[in-house]
Amino acid sequence: MHSTIKLIASITLTLVSSLVLAATAVETHGALSVKGNQIVDSHNKSVSLAGPSLFWSNNGWEGNEGRFYNADVVAYVQKNWNASIIRAAIGGTSPGGYISDPEDNMARAERVIEAATAQGMYVIVDWHSHEAHKHTDLAIQFFEAIARKYGKQSNIIYELYNEPLNNVDWSTLIKPYAQLVIAKIRKIDPNNLIVVGTQTWDQDVDKAADDPISAFDNIAYSLHFYAGTHKESLRKKAEYAMKHGIALMVTEWGG
């Protein structure tokens, strides 16, 4: 009898340990927010997440047709890569993107969001456009739809503008665009993290630090870092930005 009790206790402890180890990223961290120059979880601890960004969702791009925008791919990267986050790069204003094929691209965004939610992953919903400020109404339409359907979930991250070009000025073009889009999102979703792109393909985070968005909470700024070409000068920009009080999220990185 005592041996049986010990065996049952041992099995129970093993199952409990497995359940603890199996906690998903969202179960572990909960809602994300900005505190000072850090992105923190629901326990006010700095959080680091890693996972892949999908390629542009556009119809007709390199035979892509959104073939990776499905539950099997999301489950694969969570299981085999231990990914805690995935980025849905929804083509905005380029041919084959939301501007010409809204239903296809919205469906791809929804598939990835729902698959990530099922896997307990965070998902960056990225408006993948280099000239988003030229079509503000379109971005607002897209993000309002996402916020209405998924804004109550704690795993949603909105990325408003992918890699503004080097001649798209932060203070006069990117920031005003972002403020308009943020205002619309916040009417629906007051809490989830919003990431704002920065000038020169998400490199000039120092300009954002000198003129940050102050009217809204839970705002971070995007930095893209590729180690083969982005060297000390970009690291210094990141250090400058954080020393001046803004939080950064590296929504693209690689070798």
Side-chain angles (χ1 to χ4, degrees):
M1 178 62 73
H2 292 298
S3 297
T4 303
I5 292 171
K6 287 180 181 178
L7 178 59
I8 293 172
S10 177
I11 292 171
T12 303
L13 287 171
T14 301
L15 289 172
V16 170
S17 297
S18 297
L19 289 171
V20 171
L21 291 173
T24 67
V26 176
E27 288 171 342
T28 300
H29 298 294
L32 305 179
S33 60
V34 172
K35 185 176 181 180
N37 66 355
Q38 297 288 314
I39 296 172
V40 301
D41 64 12
S42 59
H43 311 292
N44 285 323
K45 294 182 179 179
S46 296
V47 60
S48 178
L49 306 168
S53 175
L54 298 173
F55 188 66
W56 297 68
S57 67
N58 305 51
N59 283 336
W61 282 45
E62 299 182 10
N64 176 40
E65 301 299 350
R67 64 193 178 101
F68 296 109
Y69 282 73
N70 61 69
D72 289 342
V73 168
V74 177
Y76 181 90
V77 299
Q78 194 280 329
K79 180 180 178 181
N80 294 281
W81 298 2
N82 197 30
S84 53
I85 191 169
I86 192 165
R87 182 174 182 248
I90 305 302
T93 57
S94 299
Y98 187 88
I99 191 170
S100 59
D101 300 291
E103 291 184 5
D104 289 346
N105 286 280
M106 180 59 78
R108 288 165 192 156
E110 291 178 350
R111 284 201 297 271
V112 173
I113 292 169
E114 290 167 13
T117 302
Q119 296 297 324
M121 299 167 65
Y122 294 93
V123 55
I124 299 174
V125 185
D126 162 43
W127 185 246
H128 213 70
S129 170
H130 296 304
E131 297 181 308
H133 66 283
K134 293 183 178 180
H135 301 274
T136 303
D137 291 346
L138 203 64
I140 287 172
Q141 180 188 93
F142 173 78
F143 282 115
E144 283 183 329
I146 295 295
R148 287 192 192 100
K149 192 163 186 177
Y150 303 106
K152 292 182 180 180
Q153 299 178 189
S154 59
N155 65 327
I156 301 296
I157 301 168
Y158 306 93
E159 185 174 5
L160 306 188
Y161 195 150
N162 174 69
E163 294 192 348
L165 302 176
N166 62 327
N167 61 350
V168 179
D169 182 67
W170 164 258
S171 292
T172 61
L173 294 174
I174 303 169
K175 181 181 176 182
Y177 156 86
Q179 289 174 318
L180 289 171
V181 179
I182 292 168
K184 297 296 185 179
I185 293 173
R186 286 294 184 237
K187 286 183 179 180
I188 305 166
D189 178 357
N191 298 316
N192 277 314
L193 180 65
I194 294 175
V195 182
V196 180
T198 55
Q199 189 174 343
T200 312
W201 304 285
D202 286 336
Q203 295 178 50
D204 291 345
V205 291
D206 52 332
K207 293 182 179 180
D210 287 337
D211 185 17
I213 294 169
S214 58
F216 303 95
D217 295 327
N218 278 2
I219 306 298
Y221 301 83
S222 183
L223 175 71
H224 286 182
F225 188 91
Y226 288 88
T229 52
H230 295 160
K231 303 291 185 175
E232 184 179 5
S233 61
L234 191 55
R235 293 196 298 271
K236 285 184 176 179
K237 286 188 176 189
E239 291 171 355
Y240 177 93
M242 294 184 71
K243 285 179 181 177
H244 284 72
I246 67 171
L248 305 179
M249 188 171 195
V250 181
T251 57
E252 282 188 27
W253 58 272

